[in-house]
């Protein structure tokens, strides 16, 4: 996992792997190129945006045959929209060992930028050229009214707004669009569900952005019980005894 974008938000393990890799296959424009600066002078670097899965696997197999280490650099955390299961299954079939190194997801970077407090978070995407299971369509998930983080959907912003309004959200529900969370060019657009499409288009945001929706973006919240003087925990006695 490359992390959300800022080069110092990759894990120490991830950085060490980049520094010692013989080959790096990175996820196109989604990975901050500053991270590739960690690679050694003799490291072979491939952009997977220009490759198929079969081509990626062929490079891995070639390096494995001569006992070289390949790093497959996905954005954020690999398990979120990283298309890694198909790679793992193929590597298993070829008898090639691998390790999955987690990373900080971009939704964590967006949450840090927005300073929100949330109880329940739904992470999903809008169905587009690739479908989603019927019960996981955006309108169905919106019925919960929980905080929602929507990946890979900024190009479908009008459809996203319509789907959200079919659920528990209203036109006045707070929303935000976070463009390139944690990157130097990070941009945040605060709006409501009712103005989501209009505000996003006005800001000129067309890719590499998360859509975040929910009342957690509002100013009001309940104070944490954990640090409330009246609340008793395993480690201290509160005034509620």
């Amino acid at each position: 996992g490359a992390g959300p974008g800022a080069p110092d938000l990759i894990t120490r393990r991830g950085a060490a792997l980049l520094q010692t890799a013989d080959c790096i296959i990175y996820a196109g424009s989604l990975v901050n190129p500053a991270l590739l600066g960690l690679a050694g002078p003799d490291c072979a670097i491939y952009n997977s945006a220009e490759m198929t899965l079969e081509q990626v696997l062929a490079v891995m197999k070639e390096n494995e045959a001569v006992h070289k280490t390949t790093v497959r650099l996905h954005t954020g955390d690999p398990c979120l929209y990283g298309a890694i299961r198909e790679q793992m299954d193929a590597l298993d079939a070829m008898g090639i060992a691998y390790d999955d190194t987690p990373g900080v997801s971009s939704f964590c970077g967006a949450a840090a930028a927005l300073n929100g407090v949330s109880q329940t978070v739904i992470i999903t995407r809008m169905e587009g050229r690739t479908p989603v299971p019927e019960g996981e369509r955006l309108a169905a998930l919106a019925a919960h009214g929980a905080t929602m983080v929507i990946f890979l959907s900024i190009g479908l912003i009008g459809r996203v707004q319509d789907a959200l309004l079919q659920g528990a959200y209203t036109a006045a529900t707070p929303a935000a669009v976070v463009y390139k969370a944690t990157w130097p060019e990070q941009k945040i657009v605060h709006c409501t569900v009712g103005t989501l499409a209009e505000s996003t288009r006005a800001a000129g945001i067309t890719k590499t952005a998360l859509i975040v929706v929910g009342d957690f973006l509002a100013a009001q919240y309940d104070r944490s019980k954990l640090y409330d003087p009246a609340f008793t925990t395993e480690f201290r006695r509160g005034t509620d005894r």
Side-chain angles (χ1 to χ4, degrees):
D8 56 348
L9 284 178
I10 192 171
T11 64
R12 291 177 61 185
R13 181 186 297 179
L17 288 170
L18 291 177
Q19 290 167 339
T20 58
D22 298 302
C23 173
I24 296 172
I25 308 172
Y26 74 102
S29 62
L30 299 175
V31 168
N32 190 332
L35 288 170
L36 300 178
L38 295 173
D42 298 322
C43 181
I45 297 178
Y46 296 82
N47 179 358
S48 66
E50 303 167 348
M51 304 167 73
T52 64
L53 171 62
E54 287 72 18
Q55 291 172 323
V56 168
L57 292 168
V59 172
M60 293 178 175
K61 186 175 182 180
E62 179 183 339
N63 280 284
E64 184 69 15
V66 291
H67 308 291
K68 291 185 176 181
T69 300
T70 301
V71 170
R72 179 70 169 102
L73 190 61
H74 287 278
T75 53
D77 182 89
C79 74
L80 284 177
Y81 305 108
I84 60 170
R85 177 62 185 270
E86 57 201 33
Q87 293 176 87
M88 291 176 170
D89 287 347
L91 292 172
D92 286 339
M94 292 188 289
I96 296 176
Y98 56 84
D99 178 70
D100 183 358
T101 299
V104 178
S105 172
S106 58
F107 88 85
C108 297
L114 293 169
N115 298 323
V117 177
S118 187
Q119 175 67 39
T120 300
V121 180
I122 296 174
I123 298 171
T124 190
R125 65 173 178 86
M126 183 75 191
E127 63 270 20
R129 289 197 299 167
T130 53
V132 299
E134 183 65 28
E136 297 176 25
R137 298 182 67 186
L138 195 57
L141 295 176
H144 295 282
T147 297
M148 190 173 287
V149 180
I150 306 167
F151 281 72
L152 305 171
S153 305
I154 203 70
L156 303 169
I157 193 66
R159 291 177 56 194
V160 169
Q161 178 175 317
D162 291 342
L164 293 174
L165 289 172
Q166 293 175 43
Y169 309 111
T170 70
T173 300
V177 172
V178 183
Y179 170 75
K180 285 199 168 183
T182 78
W183 291 59
E185 56 266 49
Q186 173 182 287
K187 181 190 295 185
I188 301 174
V189 176
H190 290 277
C191 56
T192 64
V193 172
T195 62
L196 183 58
E198 176 187 0
S199 299
T200 302
R201 290 167 182 152
I205 298 174
T206 59
K207 60 181 180 179
T208 325
L210 290 177
I211 303 160
V212 187
V213 179
D215 289 328
F216 87 100
L217 290 164
Q220 294 183 334
Y221 64 93
D222 294 327
R223 175 175 167 169
S224 166
K225 291 291 186 183
L226 182 60
Y227 300 105
D228 189 322
F231 195 70
T232 296
T233 73
E234 178 185 358
F235 302 100
R236 61 177 178 82
R237 188 180 296 271
T239 58
D240 63 351
R241 59 186 177 85

